[in-house]
Amino acid sequence: LAARLGNVAAAAALYPRLLPYGHRVVTCGRATYCTGSASLSLGVLASVLGERAAAVAHLEEAVRRNDALGAVAFGAASRYALARALDDPARAAELRRELEATTGAIGMRLPGGLIWFP
């Protein structure tokens, strides 16, 4: 929510609290609900804070972890955020092509659904 609203103060408060858990998968309850890699949230928060290098590193990790987990929608969300954070237009375009193929295959619309980024 802090990222969606562009709330820099909230992002600055949340980022250091979430940082130690970046290597984990976020679940609620007894793993009945999953939001994928915590690195996705870290990358989005780092983007809001203007920390581009940290955002890219977190989001690359989120892509790897979500793909390994088989979390297709969260892998797509990670690619979407990573494409937006990159300074490399060719790589961003490649990520967008991967994203379009994935979202088309699973019926996910962009932006919306699991894509909560500013």
Side-chain angles (χ1 to χ4, degrees), residues 1 5 28 36 79-80 83 101 104:
L1 186 57
L5 297 175
C28 298
R79 283 176 175 79
Y80 178 80

Side-chain angles (χ1 to χ4, degrees), residues 16-110:
R17 289 182 173 102
L18 183 58
L19 191 58
Y21 305 101
H23 65 286
R24 300 225 174 140
V25 173
V26 179
T27 61
C28 298
R30 294 184 182 202
T32 58
Y33 180 77
C34 175
T35 61
S37 173
S39 292
L40 173 55
S41 296
L42 282 166
V44 174
L45 291 170
S47 290
V48 169
L49 295 172
E51 300 292 336
R52 186 177 301 266
V56 168
H58 289 305
L59 293 167
E60 287 174 337
E61 178 67 16
V63 168
R64 283 190 298 276
R65 289 194 180 274
N66 286 320
D67 285 354
L69 181 63
V72 178
F74 291 108
S78 301
R79 283 176 175 79
Y80 178 80
L82 179 56
R84 291 178 58 131
L86 288 171
D87 277 332
D88 180 348
R91 185 156 175 236
E94 178 185 334
L95 285 165
R96 282 190 205 93
R97 283 190 297 275
E98 291 174 17
L99 178 61
E100 288 171 9
T102 301
T103 56
I106 65 172
M108 184 176 173
R109 287 192 237 154
L110 293 173

